[in-house]
Amino acid sequence: MKNYIDLIQQTFNFPTEEFSVKNDHLYFHGVPLIDIINKYGTPLRITYLPKISQNIQQVKSHFEKAIKKYQYQGDYMYCYCTKSSHFQFILEEILRNDVHLETSSAFDIEIVRRLHQQGQF
């Protein structure tokens, strides 16, 4: 393996709708990552809020179709686990999608309290 792109190509289906390569530079939704890396360094973690909402709506749609197809009589609630990411900007995006939160620690309860105080739900 000579280049990082070799690892990517053998590990993932690449390119994806999110990532592309132009002139030997990696882009994320059209944004050149090298500019962000040069400014902030690495390792780099990317959170793309529109994709979070898109994925939630897609899952909710799949469940809705399955519920109708199998005439499921129970209730379904999409729950986001706060331990996945408890950053405020992510939780705010998640709550815009009419979902519930699942908590697993006392730390998470304080996060929920603050979101409630701010009128997030």
Side-chain angles (χ1 to χ4, degrees):
M1 187 175 328
K2 294 181 180 180
N3 298 311
Y4 184 69
I5 188 68
D6 296 332
L7 174 65
I8 295 290
Q9 287 175 333
Q10 78 178 21
T11 308
F12 304 103
N13 294 326
F14 189 81
T16 65
E17 85 180 50
E18 294 93 4
F19 289 98
S20 62
V21 176
K22 298 176 192 166
N23 301 322
D24 294 326
H25 286 95
L26 184 61
Y27 284 72
F28 180 72
H29 287 279
V31 176
L33 293 182
I34 193 66
D35 295 343
I36 297 170
I37 290 168
N38 287 337
K39 184 171 182 176
Y40 298 104
T42 61
L44 176 65
R45 180 176 178 161
I46 300 170
T47 303
Y48 189 65
L49 295 179
K51 189 66 173 176
I52 292 172
S53 288
Q54 180 184 1
N55 287 346
I56 289 171
Q57 293 306 317
Q58 183 179 29
V59 167
K60 289 171 76 173
S61 175
H62 289 317
F63 271 91
E64 183 180 326
K65 289 175 186 172
I67 287 168
K68 286 179 183 176
K69 179 178 180 179
Y70 296 104
Q71 299 175 353
Y72 179 69
Q73 298 302 310
D75 293 328
Y76 164 74
M77 289 182 239
Y78 183 105
C79 294
Y80 176 81
C81 182
T82 55
K83 68 182 173 184
S84 297
S85 177
H86 55 265
F87 292 112
Q88 182 173 343
F89 66 97
I90 292 176
L91 292 174
E92 289 171 354
E93 181 70 22
I94 287 160
L95 290 172
R96 286 186 193 103
N97 290 278
D98 190 32
V99 300
H100 297 259
L101 295 178
E102 174 192 332
T103 61
S104 58
S105 73
F107 179 76
D108 292 345
I109 298 300
E110 184 57 33
I111 292 170
V112 171
R113 281 189 183 129
R114 287 182 187 216
L115 288 168
H116 183 263
Q117 289 170 349
Q118 296 169 356
Q120 294 294 325
F121 59 95

